[in-house]
């Protein structure tokens, strides 16, 4: 006479399998970050010099960056290299996340999710690149030229690193606005018309976010707020394209 298994045990078995797979995916992501970090650590000082170049190029002759803490010459490049390793590993980390959730998605969801993930990574990198090549030169030129003449600009390396990492993250996240707008429209949470009517509030919100995420000056706030609004318009554009495609597909089905 065969015995029927305990329903609780049968329900727990898939959950345990999912948790084991999740742990495996997380371990792979962490190992990838560590491998990249170990490969880059030999160039930690060079990486820091590259990140500091926008400010160093604008410092007056004879000025230099300083370390006000004993461990800063070691910790600042170490921290930056670790952050760069995480940035570099983002595609692989997202691939692991995709491999974990993909089996539970429908085919149409898979076809849409992969381009969204890829574009999210590209936009985040684009935001960081925009901060480095466009924002930093303008921002540091403003800072170094507006101070009193008798004040020597000698920035602490750790304070500088915290400052630029904050801006990298702020611009990277800000450049995700088209994806967020597109997903809101796609999910039906809102419509293109509704978002279009809220433009004045969006403009105000962009400047408020710019004020919170950037230093307290009009230049840096505007350099974040203006691209955020333009990216919002890009999200609306893609939303309109999706809506037209849906309407066309519905018309084809009716015919």
């Amino acid at each position: 006479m065969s015995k029927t298994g305990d329903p609780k045990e049968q329900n727990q078995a898939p959950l345990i399998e999912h948790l084991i797979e999740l742990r495996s995916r997380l371990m792979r992501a962490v190992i990838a970050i560590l491998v990249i970090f170990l490969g880059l650590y030999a160039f930690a000082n060079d990486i820091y010099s590259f990140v500091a170049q926008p400010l160093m190029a604008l410092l007056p002759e004879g000025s230099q960056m300083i370390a006000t803490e004993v461990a800063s010459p070691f910790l600042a490049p170490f921290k930056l290299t670790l952050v760069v390793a995480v940035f570099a590993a983002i595609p692989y980390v997202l691939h692991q996340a995709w491999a974990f959730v993909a089996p539970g998605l429908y085919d149409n969801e898979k076809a849409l999710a992969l381009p969204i993930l890829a574009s999210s990574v590209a936009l985040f990198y684009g935001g960081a690149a925009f901060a480095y090549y466009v924002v930093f030169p303008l921002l540091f030129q403003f800072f170094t030229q507006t101070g009193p003449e008798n004040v020597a600009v000698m920035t602490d390396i750790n304070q500088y690193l915290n400052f630029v990492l904050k801006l990298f993250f702020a611009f990277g996240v800000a450049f995700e606005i088209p994806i967020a707008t597109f997903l809101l429209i796609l999910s039906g949470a809102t419509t293109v018309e509704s978002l279009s009517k809220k433009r004045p509030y969006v403009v105000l919100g962009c400047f408020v976010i710019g004020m919170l995420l950037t230093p307290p000056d009009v230049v840096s706030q505007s350099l974040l707020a203006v691209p955020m609004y333009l990216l919002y318009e890009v999200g609306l554009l893609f939303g309109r394209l999706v809506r037209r495609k849906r309407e066309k597909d519905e018309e084809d089905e009716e015919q």
Side-chain angles (χ1 to χ4, degrees), residues 26-252:
L26 289 174
M27 288 298 297
R28 292 179 185 179
V30 172
I31 290 172
I33 293 173
L34 289 177
V35 169
I36 296 174
F37 171 75
L38 293 175
L40 293 176
Y41 184 70
F43 309 97
N45 291 335
D46 296 329
I47 294 173
Y48 191 93
S49 297
F50 174 78
V51 173
Q53 182 58 33
L55 176 61
M56 296 298 296
L58 295 170
L59 287 179
E61 186 177 355
S63 298
Q64 60 184 359
M65 299 183 74
I66 61 174
T68 58
E69 299 177 359
V70 175
S72 291
F74 166 76
L75 290 178
F78 180 92
K79 178 181 177 181
L80 176 59
T81 305
L82 182 59
V83 172
V84 171
V86 174
F87 273 37
I90 283 178
Y92 182 77
V93 172
L94 290 180
H95 171 72
Q96 293 301 315
W98 166 256
F100 179 73
V101 302
L105 300 178
Y106 295 106
D107 290 339
N108 60 333
E109 292 174 336
K110 290 181 181 179
L112 186 62
L114 199 56
I116 288 177
L117 283 175
S119 57
S120 297
V121 174
L123 285 170
F124 188 86
Y125 286 159
F130 180 81
Y132 182 83
Y133 289 105
V134 178
V135 177
F136 287 180
L138 296 175
L139 194 61
F140 295 145
Q141 185 176 18
F142 173 78
F143 286 158
T144 55
Q145 292 182 356
T146 55
E149 295 181 0
N150 58 345
V151 175
V153 180
M154 301 177 69
T155 305
D156 176 67
I157 60 173
N158 199 41
Q159 294 297 325
Y160 174 81
L161 178 61
N162 293 335
F163 177 82
V164 297
L165 288 181
K166 180 181 178 181
L167 288 183
F168 276 138
F169 181 77
F171 278 88
V173 172
F175 271 55
E176 300 293 332
I177 287 178
I179 301 298
T181 306
F182 175 76
L183 290 177
L184 286 173
I185 297 172
L186 184 67
S187 64
T190 186
T191 61
V192 176
E193 290 75 13
S194 177
L195 291 176
S196 299
K197 293 178 181 178
K198 296 177 181 177
R199 280 192 176 96
Y201 304 102
V202 172
V203 173
L204 178 61
C206 288
F207 277 92
V208 171
I209 294 173
M211 177 184 65
L212 296 174
L213 296 181
T214 60
D217 65 274
V218 177
V219 177
S220 56
Q221 292 171 12
S222 300
L223 288 174
L224 178 59
V226 173
M228 284 176 64
Y229 175 73
L230 295 177
L231 290 167
Y232 174 79
E233 292 292 342
V234 172
L236 290 181
L237 175 61
F238 280 105
R240 291 189 182 94
L241 294 177
V242 171
R243 185 187 62 182
R244 290 175 184 173
K245 185 176 185 304
R246 282 183 174 178
E247 292 175 351
K248 184 178 179 181
D249 291 341
E250 290 175 358
E251 292 177 357
D252 293 340

